[in-house]
Amino acid sequence: MNFLNKARKKAEEALREIQAQAQAQAQTQGIGQSHQQNTNQYNPHQYPQQNQQQFSPPPQFHQQQHYPPPPSQGSQPPYSQQGYPAPPSNQYSSPPPQAFRDVPPTSTPGQQYPPPPPQPNRDQVHQQSYQQPPQVQPASVPQAHGAQAPAPPPQVAAVAPSVRDVGRKCLAKEPVIPFHTKFYCFIPSIGVSGESFTICSNCFQVNVASYNLASNFMEFRTTNENLRITCDFSFPRVRNTWYSQCIPRNTVQPLMDFPCFTETLSPCDGSTISSPGPFWITKNQTIPDLAICQTCFELFLRLTPFEGQFENKTYAETRDWSCDLAQPFFKRCLIAELENTNPSFQDLASEFNLRFKMPPCSGVGQPISTLENEQSQSLVFTALGGKTGNLCFACFSDCLANTSLQDDFGGAALTAEQKTTVTCDLASGYSKSAMEIAIQRCDSEVWRTAVGMVGKVGVCFGRKGTTEEEWEKKVAEHGSLAQWWHVTNYPSIEICPSCYWLFVRLFKADSVFSPVTRPLRAGIVRICFLAVSTTALDTPTKNPDLFENSLTWRGRRLRNAISTGSELGDFSLLLSEAASISQEPSPCGGNDRGFKSPSGRKWYGRISQNQASNDDCTIVMCEECWSRTVKGNRLQNEFSMDLTDAAYQNEGATGYMCQPYSNRARKELRDAAQQGDITSFARYWNTRAALQRKRDEWVLILQQQAIKMQMQNHQQSMNMMLKFNAQANALSRIGSAGIVEAAMSDPGVRYGNSQIGYDSYTRGRAEAEQEFRDAQNMDTGSGSSMSMAAQSQRFIQLAAIDEAAFKEYE
């Protein structure tokens, strides 16, 4: 524990050791030789080239480096048992960045509760089978709903390995699928539903199985494929309740009360709250920047050794605040400290305060943010073992601290040059997501491989897609990395190279995808069925109207199935979802993409019987929108005219686009079709069409105005140049005439006029003065330019008004 402060201090120790070694060498060697050696020690090595990543096909077509490679294996010093570089005994050779040495890892989780009954030796422990739930004890064991009669000390029902054993850490601090992780729940006679209170198998074996009260639990089973549950023993309050109340009283009643208690708590998502409180803060401002909501305090601090370090606070005025325990670092750090044998609030406060002082991540492509120590060293974290990966302190803390991969990275100090060239490899949202997957698998190579492909496979174009002509150019440019893929046995479910390499491969679902090998056809548009939706991850996928469009709706269904399959190691759900999608009409291209005749898409709709009437309308829609609005409804016949040929006759250069592409338009049509009211929809549609035409008229007007502005600006620039040249020439003539006048005596005659005065000795001087005056008065057109700019601004405002009016009906 306290690894961040320790890492920060290691740079100072490294510097002192370098100086000490340099002094020792200076005493035993010549001054010149010592100076040369010290110079070598302080000049950091250049980064070697990154080791070639080994990807199974396709090969790389870019050697683009998104982050500086770390020191090669050959330049790394030996490693200590903790996994951090240690200096050689005689000479310090710092790999760039200069790695800290002997930074101890966080303390291994221990147990701050009363220990369970004496355990047998470890050999006996590992011989025991903990795969089966404990057998129900005889009737003499006190029941949960029974009277609270005094009970003898609990007898040992089973002995579990210590929580210090890495294999016994909680398996479900975050929601997981119960099919992949074994859980325990209360037996039916307790009267608490199974999923209301669950314990993962590791927490059960460590904390529960050794006591007679284990007979109140059984293995949890469910058939709900969408269920994800959390281990309730991951909450410190629950574990402390077990040891401080359940064990001494020999009853599970306090745990039975927990589900009902949590229903009284408001969910905490870490969002900003504007209120005077109440919230919890540390006493005496031990951690001055910390604020904790009531829910998190009850779940993570109540009944723990740290409860007394906090006080409830409510201010007289409203303040903006958010719960810090909603942030991963603070929650993991707190739990890790509480799991220590002797939890230290001082250590916790030190870690929290340091995190609050850390500069935020500088962002993608920006020089990495560093933490400065007292020796003016710029500190970051870098991958150990000669592997790639440089992380700022903020990203390391938020993503890796107190996780299975924290020891894969060690503290390092940057040189002055590296401070401007090294970037944080966890800056992007995708990189953070890939790291989460890597942490789940306890393998940083999962993250490294995924991040290594970013920038090499482009981006997903979503609903806009790409034509096969465009894709052919990509193949010529990028080779096999431009390969599209489809779900095996479902060739219509295609995905782009970006989604394949950055999502499918990351979740190890590539075994159920095959390369698209069909012949290329002009006019065909490839659309990726893994298009990303911006809706909340828990949005139900039953209703496509809850998503931006039907393609992202399909993308969410497939992505959920891939994620679930990755957790289960079984992608049958993905194949089932792909089979369902393959039977659905092709997704609507909306106003992003038009389609041409080779696409084979069908178009349906209605032709107005009276163009002059506002009670009838003409509308053309794709097969999907037709099936989602009028198919099977009372107005199906009125809106089912096959307009495929007519649509492709008007496809133009960009293809034909579906007209009722928005959720609003489809809802209006669906409601009218269900009610059999064509008039109400026709009036809506005609109003919408009129507003759309008015909005679209501004496109040409604004384009013409922009051309006028460019021409006006060009003419003004020319006029300014002419004015400048005229002034310069006149000034040159004035200077020449002045030299002549200075050499002559007063002729007794003056030249000039009322504009320039009568003080010139020569006619040439007077003419030059007049030319300069005329040049100053030249009109450059700035006034007309300002008028043109004002007119353009007015046009933009009017166009925005018409755009807003159309949006209300779109």
Side-chain angles (χ1 to χ4, degrees):
M1 192 57 195
N2 207 22
F3 68 95
L4 293 179
N5 278 305
K6 293 179 180 178
R8 183 182 62 175
K9 295 177 181 177
K10 286 302 173 180
E12 303 171 11
E13 298 176 7
L15 183 61
R16 287 195 295 268
E17 186 166 346
I18 291 174
Q19 295 170 342
Q21 291 175 354
Q23 293 175 356
Q25 290 175 353
Q27 295 175 357
T28 57
Q29 301 178 10
I31 299 299
Q33 182 180 1
S34 175
H35 174 75
Q36 180 179 1
Q37 290 177 347
N38 289 340
T39 302
N40 293 336
Q41 290 171 351
Y42 282 95
N43 288 336
H45 305 158
Q46 297 297 319
Y47 274 114
Q49 293 298 317
Q50 179 181 359
N51 296 335
Q52 180 70 27
Q53 295 284 348
Q54 299 297 323
F55 303 108
S56 56
Q60 300 180 16
F61 70 90
H62 277 265
Q63 294 300 326
Q64 184 176 357
Q65 184 84 22
H66 292 281
Y67 41 80
S72 63
Q73 292 280 5
S75 65
Q76 287 284 344
Y79 291 93
S80 65
Q81 293 180 354
Q82 288 87 350
Y84 293 83
S89 56
N90 297 323
Q91 183 177 359
Y92 179 81
S93 177
S94 59
Q98 299 170 0
F100 294 120
R101 299 173 309 284
D102 301 324
V103 180
T106 58
S107 301
T108 308
Q111 186 169 331
Q112 83 273 24
Y113 319 106
Q119 301 178 359
N121 60 52
R122 184 165 294 275
D123 293 336
Q124 293 174 332
V125 168
H126 287 290
Q127 289 173 1
Q128 295 183 18
S129 174
Y130 56 89
Q131 299 301 319
Q132 300 297 326
Q135 299 298 317
V136 177
Q137 298 297 314
S140 58
V141 177
Q143 296 302 305
H145 293 286
Q148 301 299 318
Q155 299 299 314
V156 178
V159 179
S162 169
V163 73
R164 290 179 176 274
D165 190 333
V166 173
R168 291 296 181 266
K169 290 183 178 180
C170 181
L171 300 174
K173 292 181 179 179
E174 300 296 333
V176 300
I177 298 176
F179 300 112
H180 188 62
T181 302
K182 180 184 290 188
F183 284 89
Y184 291 88
C185 63
F186 285 118
I187 58 177
S189 61
I190 295 294
V192 177
S193 63
E195 62 190 63
S196 297
F197 188 91
T198 53
I199 312 174
C200 75
S201 57
N202 278 4
C203 287
F204 184 85
Q205 292 299 322
V206 170
N207 301 286
V208 180
S210 301
Y211 299 94
N212 287 342
L213 291 177
S215 61
N216 291 281
F217 298 89
M218 60 178 291
E219 185 175 342
F220 174 74
R221 299 184 184 278
T222 181
T223 57
N224 185 354
E225 297 180 351
N226 297 320
L227 180 64
R228 282 172 168 76
I229 56 179
T230 302
C231 175
D232 285 299
F233 261 61
S234 66
F235 299 114
R237 177 190 181 118
V238 174
R239 286 199 312 275
N240 282 277
T241 298
W242 171 255
Y243 282 102
S244 64
Q245 299 181 24
C246 295
I247 296 301
R249 293 161 51 187
N250 200 30
T251 177
V252 293
Q253 183 65 47
L255 296 188
M256 293 166 52
D257 297 336
F258 182 71
C260 294
F261 170 72
T262 57
E263 293 179 359
T264 66
L265 301 176
S266 301
C268 174
D269 58 5
S271 58
T272 301
I273 303 171
S274 295
S275 73
F279 52 86
W280 293 82
I281 61 174
T282 54
K283 295 179 179 179
N284 302 319
Q285 293 291 293
T286 308
I287 312 176
D289 297 316
L290 184 68
I292 300 176
C293 71
Q294 185 68 32
T295 296
C296 288
F297 182 83
E298 294 293 346
L299 296 178
F300 296 97
L301 288 165
R302 184 73 76 185
L303 303 180
T304 71
F306 298 158
E307 177 181 0
Q309 302 290 340
F310 290 82
E311 61 182 352
N312 197 267
K313 183 71 174 180
T314 300
Y315 290 98
E317 71 281 0
T318 297
R319 296 190 177 192
D320 289 342
W321 63 280
S322 60
C323 178
D324 293 305
L325 279 191
Q327 306 304 316
F329 168 79
F330 295 106
K331 184 183 295 184
R332 291 197 306 263
C333 186
L334 172 63
I335 293 176
E337 188 61 47
L338 288 173
E339 287 178 345
N340 280 337
T341 304
N342 297 303
S344 170
F345 187 74
Q346 182 178 359
D347 286 349
L348 181 76
S350 178
E351 293 291 273
F352 277 24
N353 285 329
L354 178 57
R355 177 63 188 90
F356 282 119
K357 294 178 182 178
M358 289 180 191
C361 180
S362 55
V364 178
Q366 300 299 316
I368 191 170
S369 59
T370 60
L371 189 68
E372 303 294 324
N373 66 0
E374 295 178 358
Q375 300 298 325
S376 297
Q377 290 179 306
S378 301
L379 311 181
V380 298
F381 279 87
T382 190
L384 301 177
K387 299 181 179 180
T388 56
N390 296 302
L391 318 176
C392 68
F393 263 67
C395 286
F396 177 86
S397 301
D398 295 341
C399 300
L400 284 165
N402 294 299
T403 71
S404 60
L405 297 184
Q406 72 169 20
D407 293 335
D408 285 15
F409 294 80
L414 296 181
T415 64
E417 179 182 358
Q418 290 168 341
K419 289 176 63 175
T420 61
T421 58
V422 175
T423 60
C424 178
D425 298 320
L426 272 180
S428 71
Y430 174 76
S431 181
K432 288 181 173 68
S433 298
M435 183 62 81
E436 290 180 8
I437 303 299
I439 291 171
Q440 292 174 8
R441 298 178 187 166
C442 302
D443 183 3
S444 60
E445 288 304 316
V446 172
W447 167 78
R448 198 167 283 110
T449 300
V451 172
M453 293 302 295
V454 174
K456 300 177 182 179
V457 290
V459 297
C460 178
F461 289 99
R463 187 165 62 170
K464 186 176 181 180
T466 181
T467 64
E468 300 223 322
E469 298 93 323
E470 294 168 340
W471 178 76
E472 193 172 14
K473 296 178 182 178
K474 293 285 187 181
V475 173
E477 188 176 335
H478 303 318
S480 58
L481 280 182
Q483 175 68 57
W484 278 62
W485 303 78
H486 69 84
V487 180
T488 304
N489 298 328
Y490 301 99
S492 63
I493 313 300
E494 297 182 342
I495 66 170
C496 69
S498 176
C499 290
Y500 175 79
W501 285 101
L502 302 183
F503 184 78
V504 171
R505 298 266 300 191
L506 178 63
F507 283 88
K508 295 186 176 181
D510 49 298
S511 61
V512 293
F513 284 83
S514 303
V516 174
T517 57
R518 58 177 171 77
L520 297 180
R521 292 181 58 195
I524 296 294
V525 177
R526 296 191 175 194
I527 295 180
C528 178
F529 275 73
L530 283 181
V532 178
S533 171
T534 58
T535 58
L537 292 177
D538 58 353
T539 303
T541 57
K542 297 295 183 182
N543 183 6
D545 289 340
L546 298 178
F547 293 81
E548 306 94 325
N549 54 69
S550 63
L551 183 65
T552 58
W553 168 59
R554 291 173 171 87
R556 176 63 60 81
R557 291 158 61 188
L558 292 173
R559 285 175 176 265
N560 287 349
I562 290 174
S563 176
T564 300
S566 179
E567 289 186 65
L568 297 176
D570 178 8
F571 291 99
S572 58
L573 180 60
L574 170 62
L575 297 177
S576 175
E577 199 69 63
S580 175
I581 292 175
S582 67
Q583 300 301 313
E584 299 167 0
S586 299
C588 176
N591 58 347
D592 296 323
R593 168 62 70 179
F595 298 93
K596 298 183 178 182
S597 178
S599 68
R601 289 177 174 243
K602 294 290 186 180
W603 301 90
Y604 301 94
R606 174 181 177 83
I607 302 297
S608 175
Q609 303 301 309
N610 184 0
Q611 299 292 338
S613 174
N614 198 42
D615 294 339
D616 201 352
C617 64
T618 296
I619 183 173
V620 183
M621 67 194 87
C622 67
E623 184 179 6
E624 182 190 47
C625 290
W626 173 81
S627 66
R628 290 175 58 186
T629 55
V630 301
K631 183 179 180 181
N633 290 326
R634 295 168 61 181
L635 293 182
Q636 176 174 332
N637 293 335
E638 283 77 1
F639 288 92
S640 296
M641 183 181 297
D642 190 340
L643 300 176
T644 302
D645 292 340
Y648 289 131
Q649 289 173 7
N650 295 275
E651 66 182 25
T654 58
Y656 199 83
M657 295 185 181
C658 179
Q659 293 179 352
Y661 55 82
S662 66
N663 286 337
R664 165 73 185 277
R666 281 192 294 265
K667 182 180 184 303
E668 293 285 346
L669 180 55
R670 185 186 305 113
D671 292 346
Q674 290 172 349
Q675 298 168 11
D677 185 2
I678 191 173
T679 302
S680 64
F681 175 75
R683 292 174 178 174
Y684 156 79
W685 188 252
N686 290 328
T687 301
R688 180 184 185 274
L691 291 172
Q692 185 174 14
R693 286 192 298 270
K694 189 176 181 182
R695 187 274 310 265
D696 293 344
E697 288 174 355
W698 283 110
V699 175
L700 180 59
I701 295 175
L702 293 177
Q703 288 176 347
Q704 294 174 344
Q705 190 72 7
I707 294 174
K708 291 179 181 179
M709 286 286 294
Q710 291 176 355
M711 295 176 62
Q712 183 72 36
N713 292 337
H714 177 71
Q715 185 63 46
Q716 184 179 355
S717 299
M718 294 294 296
N719 292 342
M720 290 291 293
M721 186 178 298
L722 291 174
K723 180 177 181 177
F724 174 78
N725 290 336
Q727 288 177 321
N729 292 334
L731 288 173
S732 178
R733 288 190 61 188
I734 291 174
S736 299
I739 294 175
V740 173
E741 289 185 354
M744 58 186 293
S745 58
D746 188 348
V749 179
R750 298 291 185 270
Y751 297 89
N753 56 37
S754 60
Q755 293 183 355
I756 63 174
Y758 295 90
D759 57 355
S760 296
Y761 284 6
T762 65
R763 184 182 299 275
R765 169 66 181 267
E767 291 175 350
E769 291 282 358
Q770 184 63 49
E771 288 179 1
F772 182 76
R773 181 64 176 263
D774 293 342
Q776 284 183 317
N777 294 331
M778 286 181 64
D779 183 13
T780 61
S782 59
S784 60
S785 177
M786 293 177 62
S787 176
M788 180 73 72
Q791 185 183 48
S792 297
Q793 186 64 31
R794 177 59 178 166
F795 284 170
I796 293 174
Q797 292 174 350
L798 293 174
I801 293 173
D802 288 342
E803 173 72 17
F806 172 69
K807 285 295 183 182
E808 291 184 4
Y809 273 79
E810 187 181 14

